[in-house]
Amino acid sequence: MNKKLKVLEVQDCFYPNVDGPIEVMNGIARTFEKNGYGEVDILVPEYPENVEVEGLKIYRCKSLPTRGGYRAAMPWFDGRVKKLIKRGGYDIIHLHSPFLLPRYALKIGKKLNIPVVFTVHTKFRDEAYNLVKSKGLRNFVMNYILTTIDGSDGITSVCKGMIDTLQDYGSKRGDDIKVIYNATAMPRGMADPERVEEIRKKHSLDGKVTFMFAGRLVEAKNVQFSLKALGEVKRRGFDNFKFLIIGDGVYGKTLEQLAQSEGIAENVEFVGRISDKKLIAEYFAAGDLLLFPSVFDNASIVLLESAANGLPCATAAGSCSAERVENGVNGFAWELSESVWADEIAEILKNPSTLKAVSEGAKDNFYLGWDEVTKEYYEYYQTVIQNKK
C-alpha cells in the first residue's frame, strides 16, 4: 500500500556551487511534495553566505572551506545533525555524494535502522585521480567512497554504464542497482521567440548552422575534440557554421588558442557563463545541434535542457550520455573519432533541413521531466523500505 514518506536528502555541496547532483536533489524534493508523495528535508554544509531556495526545507551543518569554493562538512562537531536524523521521523535517507556529511548520515541511519539509498551521479575515480597524486591516498579515497556506496541499503545510478564502472572500481554490488535517469525542471517551450531572434542577430547566426556547447570549460568535457572536428570540416571547404561555447573555466584559454590554431576562430564565440535558466533556454532555441562528445559525464542535465528547447545533441556512441539517444531520431550517437564527426557534421552542413525531425524527436522523446522520474524514486524508496523490514 502506498503511503506518504518523509525523506532526508543529503549532499556534500549546495549553492552557490553549481553541480548536476544539486539540481537532481532539488528536483526530487520539489516534485515529491508537489505530487503528494510526502515531504523532503535537505541536509547540506553551511556556506559563508547560505543560499535559500523557495519551497525547499534546508538544514545546514558546520563546515570548513576547501578548494574550488566547496565546503567540508564537520558533522562530528555539530550536534544538530545527529539530533535532526534522530528526531526527524524519516522513513528513508537519500545520499547524493559519498563523502563526509553523507557518510555520517549513513552511520547514524544504520544505528537507527533507517533505510539508506545512494545515487551514483559521477565517475568518482576520475575525480579522485585528478585531485590526489599519491597512489596510497587515491586507494584510501576510493575505499572510503565504495564503503559508503556498498554500505547503503539501496543504490541507484543515473545511467546503465555506471554499473559496470562501479564494479570495475571494486564494488560488490551490481545486479541490485536500479537505473533512474535524470530529469530537468526546465519545461518545454520556455524560450521567448523575440529574445531568441535577438540572440540570433547578436551572434549573426542567420544563414548558418549553429552548433553549441554548454557547461564547465574543463578538459574532461572534451570541447577540444569538437573544435578539432570542426577544424577538419572547415578544411574540407565548409564555412557555413557557428559554434557558440557557453560556460567558463580554467580550460577556456586553451580552447581559445585551439580555435585559433584550427583556423576556426571566426566561427567560434565564447559566450561566457549563463546562470539565468530562461536565457540559456533561449540560446538553446537559437541553436541547431549541441555538440557533447564527453565520455566523463554520466547523465548531464544540459542534454535534457537543450532537448526541452528543440536542440538535439550529438554524443559519443557507447557513452553514458548516448544511452537514451536513438541515432538520427532524437539525437545522434557517433563513433568518437574526429574524422567520423567531421563526416557527420559535413553531411548536416550540406543538408541542414535533416535536423528538423531530430529536433522534434529530442523534444518529444529524449526530454524527461521530474514528474515521471520522481515517481520512480518514490516507488524505489518503498521497495527499499519493505526489503529492510
Side-chain angles (χ1 to χ4, degrees):
M1 179 179 175
N2 292 346
K3 57 167 274 191
K4 289 193 173 183
L5 302 177
K6 189 168 185 186
V7 182
L8 178 65
E9 294 195 75
V10 189
Q11 190 161 185
D12 284 301
C13 66
F14 199 65
Y15 304 130
N17 296 130
V18 179
D19 276 300
I22 298 173
E23 300 298 324
V24 173
M25 181 175 71
N26 293 350
I28 295 169
R30 282 198 187 92
T31 314
F32 204 85
E33 300 198 4
K34 174 177 75 76
N35 290 0
Y37 298 138
E39 58 182 299
V40 177
D41 292 342
I42 288 174
L43 177 61
V44 292
E46 280 183 340
Y47 284 75
E49 293 183 11
N50 289 326
V51 176
E52 301 302 330
V53 180
E54 186 177 354
L56 298 183
K57 194 173 181 182
I58 304 167
Y59 293 90
R60 316 273 180 173
C61 172
K62 290 178 181 176
S63 67
L64 296 173
T66 185
R67 62 188 299 174
Y70 288 86
R71 307 290 297 184
M74 295 285 120
W76 311 273
F77 304 106
D78 191 339
R80 297 173 299 173
V81 175
K82 187 174 184 179
K83 189 181 295 184
L84 172 69
I85 298 172
K86 284 184 72 172
R87 299 179 184 178
Y90 298 112
D91 295 294
I92 198 160
I93 297 171
H94 188 168
L95 312 181
H96 291 273
S97 54
F99 300 109
L100 302 174
L101 190 52
R103 178 65 167 265
Y104 184 82
L106 172 66
K107 177 183 175 184
I108 301 302
K110 283 194 170 297
K111 281 186 177 179
L112 300 174
N113 204 36
I114 303 171
V116 178
V117 167
F118 187 97
T119 291
V120 184
H121 290 280
T122 190
K123 295 180 173 70
F124 297 109
R125 186 164 66 189
D126 293 4
E127 294 192 347
Y129 280 29
N130 284 335
L131 291 172
V132 180
K133 302 306 177 188
S134 161
K135 184 178 179 181
L137 194 51
R138 283 175 180 174
N139 290 339
F140 170 81
V141 170
M142 286 307 301
N143 286 335
Y144 186 96
I145 289 170
L146 288 174
T147 301
T148 305
I149 295 172
D150 286 353
S152 300
D153 300 292
I155 302 173
T156 73
S157 171
V158 295
C159 64
K160 294 174 185 173
M162 195 61 221
I163 297 174
D164 292 336
T165 301
L166 266 183
Q167 291 174 331
D168 182 50
Y169 289 172
S171 172
K172 305 296 189 292
R173 307 286 283 270
D175 293 342
D176 62 336
I177 297 175
K178 168 81 171 174
V179 176
I180 303 180
Y181 289 108
N182 280 343
T184 177
M186 184 177 284
R188 293 183 180 94
M190 184 180 182
D192 179 338
E194 289 186 7
R195 290 182 67 182
V196 172
E197 190 54 37
E198 288 172 10
I199 289 168
R200 292 192 63 81
K201 288 178 180 176
K202 177 182 177 181
H203 297 285
S204 303
L205 304 183
D206 288 341
K208 296 183 174 70
V209 176
T210 303
F211 303 111
M212 290 191 173
F213 169 82
R216 290 180 299 144
L217 301 188
V218 294
E219 189 173 4
K221 294 291 184 180
N222 215 12
V223 182
Q224 64 275 17
F225 175 91
S226 298
L227 290 172
K228 291 174 183 176
L230 288 172
E232 173 61 24
V233 167
K234 190 165 183 178
R235 286 189 289 275
R236 296 183 189 182
F238 296 95
D239 194 30
N240 58 323
F241 68 88
K242 290 292 287 279
F243 184 28
L244 301 188
I245 298 175
I246 301 168
D248 59 14
V250 293
Y251 203 56
K253 288 293 182 189
T254 301
L255 295 174
E256 288 179 24
Q257 291 167 2
L258 181 59
Q260 287 279 358
S261 65
E262 287 290 334
I264 56 172
E266 63 184 21
N267 301 86
V268 178
E269 286 192 46
F270 289 83
V271 178
R273 180 179 171 185
I274 299 176
S275 54
D276 182 332
K277 287 294 186 185
K278 194 164 191 307
L279 183 56
I280 194 72
E282 286 152 356
Y283 264 89
F284 286 158
D288 296 300
L289 184 64
L290 185 83
L291 301 182
F292 201 83
S294 169
V295 293
F296 170 77
D297 290 80
N298 286 332
S300 176
I301 291 172
V302 74
L303 303 184
L304 300 168
E305 292 177 341
S306 68
N309 295 282
L311 180 66
C313 59
T315 61
S319 68
C320 291
S321 297
E323 282 184 6
R324 294 183 56 249
V325 172
E326 294 179 67
N327 191 44
V329 177
N330 62 6
F332 298 98
W334 299 329
E335 178 190 342
L336 195 62
S337 155
E338 289 163 20
S339 62
V340 169
W341 278 55
D343 290 343
E344 298 287 356
I345 290 170
E347 287 301 313
I348 287 170
L349 293 176
K350 288 178 193 174
N351 191 6
S353 62
T354 57
L355 288 174
K356 188 172 179 11
V358 185
S359 169
E360 291 303 314
K363 224 187 303 191
D364 291 343
N365 61 49
F366 188 83
Y367 174 87
L368 273 178
W370 277 113
D371 285 342
E372 181 181 348
V373 171
T374 302
K375 182 182 179 186
E376 286 193 70
Y377 275 110
Y378 172 60
E379 292 170 349
Y380 184 67
Y381 290 161
Q382 293 183 98
T383 299
V384 173
I385 291 168
Q386 187 62 38
N387 290 344
K388 182 81 169 175
K389 289 180 180 177

